[in-house]
Amino acid sequence: MFGETEYDPTGQFCSICIEEQLDALGRAVDAGKVRYIGLSNETPYGIMKFVQSAEKVSHYPRIISIQNSYNLLCRTFNSGMAECCHHERISLLAYSPLAMGILSGKYFSHDGSPADARLNLFKGRYLEGESRYNLSKKIIKDATLEYLGIARKYGLHPVSLAIAFVLRHPLVASAVFGATKSWQLKEVLNSCKVELTSEMIAEINEVHARFPNPCP
């Protein structure tokens, strides 16, 4: 289901069973090689299967985190995953909080986006990212421009709006971002100090109502 919006049973493939995975991970925890374990790009079904399997055997480690995409353009976590994580006390490590950089506004610059920006640098080699965050799709471009407009209205850098939105989610433990330049890192760190007002949240949710999950 990675990056997909619908389950296709023909795409199902065999993998190591959950019990065997938990057993191996449990031994790694006991050996001090890792402290805790988590999942990534999982579904509500998947996460509950891991939780239920871990409860059956005392030495199996408990799942404490899930690393899934979450940002202004992609809120699929809130549908089924959030309920599972809330009840099972699992935190979200939200990756791609800037939607592969498009929420920073850099792909809308007048002189063209930077040549070393990820969607340009790896053009044609990052299929999942390019299909999910493709500005040639009108709904994605329109939604992004709306969020950039909100940031501009309130005198915020678009990065600050995007990061602050992710961090305010009660289940988010951390936002996983990428930075290739020191000023980008500083920009993100400054964003952690921003608190969105109720007015800003209302406008964000109004945009979301018109463009629900344009990037699933």
Side-chain angles (χ1 to χ4, degrees):
M1 287 291 289
F2 183 58
E4 302 294 333
T5 56
E6 296 181 3
Y7 174 69
D8 179 5
T10 64
Q12 190 73 44
F13 60 88
C14 296
S15 61
I16 303 299
C17 71
I18 290 174
E19 289 76 14
E20 187 174 343
Q21 294 181 55
L22 288 172
D23 182 67
L25 290 168
R27 284 187 275 113
V29 172
D30 293 340
K33 296 178 179 179
V34 296
R35 289 186 177 181
Y36 307 102
I37 69 168
L39 303 173
S40 180
N41 292 307
E42 254 312 344
T43 62
Y45 172 81
I47 199 169
M48 291 310 300
K49 289 294 290 184
F50 270 94
V51 168
Q52 292 164 2
S53 296
E55 290 174 343
K56 294 177 182 178
V57 181
S58 60
H59 69 272
Y60 283 176
R62 188 177 76 84
I63 302 298
I64 69 157
S65 67
I66 178 79
Q67 180 179 279
N68 275 34
S69 179
Y70 182 72
N71 54 58
L72 286 166
L73 296 170
C74 178
R75 300 199 206 181
T76 51
F77 172 82
N78 284 337
S79 53
M81 290 296 297
E83 181 180 13
C84 295
C85 291
H86 169 71
H87 289 294
E88 301 301 331
R89 295 177 295 122
I90 295 172
S91 297
L92 172 64
L93 306 180
Y95 77 78
S96 204
L98 297 176
M100 287 191 69
I102 65 175
L103 287 171
S104 70
K106 64 184 178 183
Y107 291 100
F108 294 89
S109 58
H110 296 300
D111 55 351
S113 57
D116 61 350
R118 191 186 315 180
L119 291 177
N120 293 330
L121 193 62
F122 300 105
K123 191 174 182 63
R125 291 184 288 165
Y126 206 152
L127 297 182
E128 188 275 331
E130 290 180 20
S131 62
R132 175 178 282 180
Y133 303 115
N134 191 334
L135 287 173
S136 66
K137 297 179 181 178
K138 188 176 187 302
I139 186 173
I140 295 176
K141 182 177 181 179
D142 290 350
T144 302
L145 287 172
E146 291 277 358
Y147 291 125
L148 296 180
I150 293 174
R152 186 165 54 251
K153 175 181 177 180
Y154 289 97
L156 291 176
H157 193 287
V159 169
S160 294
L161 182 77
I163 296 291
F165 169 78
V166 170
L167 293 180
R168 71 182 297 275
H169 195 294
L171 291 172
V172 168
S174 180
V176 183
F177 62 91
T180 56
K181 300 176 179 64
S182 60
W183 63 265
Q184 292 175 327
L185 177 60
K186 184 177 181 180
E187 209 169 74
V188 172
L189 293 177
N190 288 337
S191 302
C192 298
K193 305 172 186 176
V194 173
E195 291 189 17
L196 303 182
T197 65
S198 57
E199 290 80 7
M200 294 178 194
I201 295 301
E203 291 192 33
I204 287 171
N205 287 336
E206 190 275 329
V207 174
H208 178 63
R210 288 189 286 117
F211 304 98
N213 292 319
C215 302

